[in-house]
Amino acid sequence: KLAEDFQPAASRSSFGLDELDPSKPFQPSSNERFFVVDIYDGDTGAKTRLARVEARDAPGRFAPLHFGRDLLAAALGEPHKAHWKACEKSQAEEVRLCDALKGLVGEETSS
C-alpha cells in the first residue's frame, strides 16, 4: 500500500515519480537533485524504487523536504511524527539507543 500512496501524493505536491529498476545502483550525477525511496514488501520481499531526478538548476517545484517523512509517518499510523521535533529523545535515551546499536555492530559500549 505504501508504494501506491507515493504517486498520488507526489501529484498533489506537483511533481512526478518514476519507477526505477531496484536491482541497478542508483547513481545520480553531482549536478542533479533527487528524491528516491526504496519500498520493501514484507510479505513477498519485492522491492519498489521510486525516484525524481532533475538538474539542480531546473525550474519548477521539487519534492518538499518533508515529503517522505509525512507519508511514512501516516503509514505507521503516527502522523504526529512527521515533524522531527516529535521524534526528539532525551540525552539519556539517546545514549541508551547508541549503546544498544553499538552492541548490535559488535563495538564496545562506553558512556
Side-chain angles (χ1 to χ4, degrees):
K1 169 135 172 54
L2 183 59
E4 297 166 5
D5 292 343
F6 270 88
Q7 293 290 7
S11 292
R12 286 190 302 273
S13 293
S14 302
F15 70 97
L17 292 170
D18 297 317
E19 190 163 341
L20 303 179
D21 182 349
S23 67
K24 295 182 180 175
F26 179 73
Q27 298 176 319
S29 72
S30 61
N31 64 347
E32 293 176 315
R33 57 185 179 174
F34 63 90
F35 171 85
V36 65
V37 61
D38 287 338
I39 303 167
Y40 296 87
D41 183 316
D43 295 328
T44 67
K47 181 166 104 173
T48 301
R49 177 173 289 159
L50 301 173
R52 172 74 176 179
V53 180
E54 61 184 41
R56 283 193 188 274
D57 58 355
R61 185 151 185 167
F62 193 68
L65 290 176
H66 55 82
F67 175 72
R69 189 177 191 110
D70 287 346
L71 286 169
L72 293 173
L76 292 170
E78 299 194 42
H80 65 284
K81 289 193 175 177
H83 192 282
W84 68 271
K85 282 272 196 184
C87 299
E88 283 186 308
K89 304 282 184 206
S90 69
Q91 184 174 1
E93 180 66 4
E94 285 186 15
V95 168
R96 186 192 69 73
L97 291 169
C98 287
D99 286 345
L101 180 61
K102 288 176 186 176
L104 290 174
V105 295
E107 294 181 16
E108 287 188 39
T109 59
S110 60
S111 297

